[in-house]
Amino acid sequence: MLSAALFLAVQSPAIIEPASAPVERALAAREVGDYRTAIALLEAERRIRPDDATILRLLGTTYAFAGRYDDAIALLSRARAIAPGDQDVALALARAYLWAGRLHDASAIADAVELAEPSNPELGDLKSSIFEARRGPVGDERRPALTLIQSVSDVAFDRGGKATWHGSAASLAIPVSPRATVTASADREGRKGIVDTRLELRADARLGGAGNAYVVIAGTPRSDFRERWGVRVGGEAAIARHVSGTLDLRYLEYRGAQVIAIEPGIRVHAADDHWALAVKSINLWNDGYRSGWSVRGEIQASDAVRIVAGGATYPDTEAGVTRRTRSAFFGVVVALGERATLRATYEHDRRVQTYRRNGVIAALSFRF
């Protein structure tokens, strides 16, 4: 569940005129996290005033804070039917949908509120939360996440011959604060009897709104085709309505070669991130300067399914040698409930003067 602190700030006792003593006690209990007491008091008040939209809203939001999303949505939907013009009720229902992972429903209500009251002070935070939920994993982002990845690729070499490459990876993401996450991962790839295992430590931080930053440190003990070690920093920040700028900087060291890459980009997206399109310029220095580009598109097909696709032509370095590579991919991201996500991707690469590769990747993520 997303943080309730901001939402609580707009649920003050002053919204009931006059506030009854039980409601005041319920609000006081809710502010300190005693949802059981708050629910009991508000349920008693509801029996007295069953069609009071304000009581229904307070009880519904308290259900949501307690993790009872279905009860919250049912009660807040009733409150909205009673008071269709009450935007506080609409926003509360949108928040309940958001916390339940029903992003399409949350976005639809946010759009309705924007149409009815575009200057509503809570609307920006709601849309920002929906935006972040679209980009992030389904479920409670404060929980650690384990991701397991398996890949298999058929490779045809330009000089003749074929091979099958296999890869496996695991990562553990641990939130260390409401805005920061540290992820440790290991990625093992086997190519014709040669195996490289890459270890990585990554820190991500949200900077407020749609902004974020990250730093990555990686190394490959006894490397063959992967970098011996490297560092990467970057981030994203809003530069206009529905438009973000991105930047990625990398330094990689191979046996006998050093690589520097700078990748500025731009990302255009819907207000609720229902769709997004990102374009990057790829600039790499190894044995001279080389450039390329990449494009990636996403669309939310349903509450549970997101489709991603893209392509690129770029300079790629393996074993210290840089070659022009052209690639394309298509994938789906499927929410398997509140705490599990499945990703399946097909990739095609053409590395000039080296090989052609067709691969399939499956990734399963769990939140504890």
Side-chain angles (χ1 to χ4, degrees), residues 267-268 274-279 294-300 306-311 329-333:
R267 185 174 183 271
V268 183
H274 181 77
W275 61 264
L277 180 67
V279 179
S294 70
V295 60
R296 173 189 175 96
E298 305 180 30
I299 188 168
Q300 195 74 29
R306 192 168 182 85
I307 298 173
V308 297
F329 71 91
F330 175 84
V332 293
V333 183

Side-chain angles (χ1 to χ4, degrees), residues 64-288:
F65 296 151
R68 295 170 56 178
Y69 302 127
D70 290 342
D71 291 337
I73 290 168
L75 207 60
L76 291 168
S77 296
R78 174 169 170 73
R80 194 174 186 221
I82 293 171
D86 190 329
Q87 302 309 323
D88 287 338
V89 171
L91 288 166
L93 179 56
R95 290 280 183 182
Y97 277 133
L98 171 64
W99 295 349
R102 295 172 59 175
L103 305 183
H104 181 74
D105 291 324
S107 179
I109 294 180
D111 290 342
V113 172
E114 186 173 31
L115 184 63
E117 191 179 332
S119 61
N120 188 294
E122 301 304 316
L123 189 60
D125 289 324
L126 173 61
K127 283 187 167 288
S128 177
S129 296
I130 295 173
F131 174 89
E132 292 294 336
R134 291 285 193 199
R135 300 184 61 197
V138 175
D140 191 338
E141 294 184 355
R142 296 174 299 175
R143 296 177 180 272
L146 174 66
T147 301
L148 304 174
I149 303 171
Q150 190 67 42
S151 66
V152 59
S153 301
D154 289 329
V155 181
F157 296 97
D158 288 3
R159 295 184 178 181
K162 296 183 178 181
T164 300
W165 295 349
H166 294 88
S168 57
S171 68
L172 179 63
I174 301 176
V176 294
S177 79
R179 290 184 174 272
T181 301
V182 174
T183 304
S185 61
D187 184 355
R188 181 183 185 277
E189 184 176 1
R191 298 185 176 185
K192 298 181 67 174
I194 301 173
V195 177
D196 270 2
T197 300
R198 183 175 180 271
L199 306 177
E200 179 181 290
L201 186 64
R202 174 176 177 139
D204 289 87
R206 292 185 181 180
L207 305 179
N212 64 78
Y214 56 85
V215 58
V216 181
I217 299 174
T220 309
R222 298 183 296 276
S223 66
D224 184 82
F225 49 87
R226 289 187 167 179
E227 74 271 24
R228 296 173 62 184
W229 70 275
V231 61
R232 175 183 172 192
V233 296
E236 178 175 346
I239 57 177
R241 184 175 174 85
H242 309 327
V243 181
S244 299
T246 64
L247 181 64
D248 186 276
L249 309 174
R250 287 177 290 156
Y251 174 80
L252 307 174
E253 185 171 302
Y254 295 82
R255 293 182 179 178
Q258 293 79 41
V259 173
I260 296 174
I262 301 176
E263 299 180 7
I266 192 168
R267 185 174 183 271
V268 183
H269 56 84
D272 61 353
D273 215 33
H274 181 77
W275 61 264
L277 180 67
V279 179
K280 285 186 178 182
S281 169
I282 302 172
N283 305 273
L284 184 142
W285 290 262
N286 179 7
D287 50 351

